[in-house]
Amino acid sequence: MRGVRPVVGDLARFGTQALAGLPWAVRGSRGSFELMGRRYPYLHHGHKLTWLTERAVEVPVAQAIVDGAAGKRVLEVGNVLSHYRPQTHVVLDKYEHAPGVLNLDVLELDGLGQFDLIVAISTLEHVGWDEAPRDPGKPLRAIGALRSVLAPGGLLVITAPIGYNPALDAAFRSGEAGLSRSTALRREPGTTRWRELATDDVWTTPYDFLIFRARAVLFGFIDAPGP
């Protein structure tokens, strides 16, 4: 167990960083990070203080991918992006009630048709894991269900916090999840900056259960076969 002093230090640092980032939430961003050869602005937004969490990097990447799929059928699993700007794509979220959100389980995809792009932003690690009774195998079944509604040549994008759901981490690490490719971002200790690393370098990164935020995030991609 961690001692009192480190915990107090983490909480004090969290408070200091929260105050420091508030002015930049008005502007929407400050600084940038690199992922897969492209630079993205960090997201500074008042909703859940994004600059302190993995949303600072997940949302810019996912939003850029969604924007690049304009005119195509897009499904978002977990209502995330609409908290930061209006969206026009289909959103599925079992628990969050909001206009335009389909309150369905991720395994209940019958009748929705096929999608050219599916994004799941820090959502699949909760599937089965944070439900009662716990079902560690449900995230893999969810990935299989999402693959089944990918249109030919479509893309499934998954982000997941390392260390939150060990069973899902193990499935990613072993290849059982069937990712076509993956990369990761890890937070620089004591800062709000993130750096890209190979996924093999982040598996042992612990999740911050004190403040419930990731120290490392997986970005996984599954490519559907072409027509």
Side-chain angles (χ1 to χ4, degrees):
M1 293 182 62
R2 303 179 66 203
V4 173
R5 183 175 295 177
V7 170
V8 170
D10 282 352
L11 291 174
R13 188 178 301 110
F14 181 88
T16 299
Q17 292 172 345
L19 291 173
L22 283 174
W24 295 101
V26 177
R27 298 190 180 186
S29 67
R30 181 192 184 193
S32 62
F33 64 96
E34 186 171 337
L35 187 73
M36 298 179 294
R38 176 173 173 176
R39 295 208 70 82
Y40 299 87
Y42 287 112
L43 175 65
H44 278 62
H45 194 283
H47 180 67
K48 296 188 177 180
L49 306 181
T50 57
W51 62 95
L52 300 177
T53 74
E54 56 271 30
R55 290 289 190 261
V57 292
E58 290 176 312
V59 171
V61 173
Q63 188 66 70
I65 294 172
V66 169
D67 290 346
K72 299 181 179 180
R73 289 208 77 208
V74 176
L75 171 66
E76 182 181 1
V77 181
N79 185 30
V80 175
L81 294 178
S82 68
H83 290 291
Y84 307 104
R85 79 175 217 202
Q87 306 292 328
T88 60
H89 55 261
V90 179
V91 180
L92 183 150
D93 192 305
K94 185 176 181 179
Y95 300 105
E96 187 170 335
H97 295 275
V101 174
L102 301 177
N103 296 125
L104 300 172
D105 188 271
V106 67
L107 299 182
E108 300 173 342
L109 302 175
D110 292 345
L112 295 184
Q114 292 188 314
F115 296 90
D116 302 294
L117 171 65
I118 302 174
V119 295
I121 306 167
S122 280
T123 295
L124 296 184
E125 71 276 6
H126 300 290
V127 173
W129 195 254
D130 292 330
E131 300 179 68
R134 178 171 283 181
D135 183 354
K138 190 174 179 181
L140 275 183
R141 298 199 302 276
I143 291 173
L146 294 173
R147 293 183 72 152
S148 73
V149 295
L150 270 181
L155 175 66
L156 169 58
V157 181
I158 301 168
T159 75
I162 300 298
Y164 185 90
N165 182 333
L168 183 57
D169 286 355
F172 286 135
R173 189 173 187 176
S174 68
E176 189 177 4
L179 299 180
S180 303
R181 58 194 186 280
S182 65
T183 188
L185 288 170
R186 187 166 67 189
R187 187 196 315 275
E188 297 286 2
T191 76
T192 57
R193 297 189 301 273
W194 295 75
R195 180 165 63 94
E196 185 173 12
L197 295 173
T199 51
D200 285 344
D201 295 330
V202 301
W203 294 125
T204 60
T205 305
Y207 184 83
D208 185 353
F209 284 101
L210 175 66
I211 305 174
F212 281 92
R213 59 176 180 171
R215 293 187 174 100
V217 180
L218 170 87
F219 290 78
F221 304 87
I222 295 177
D223 301 297

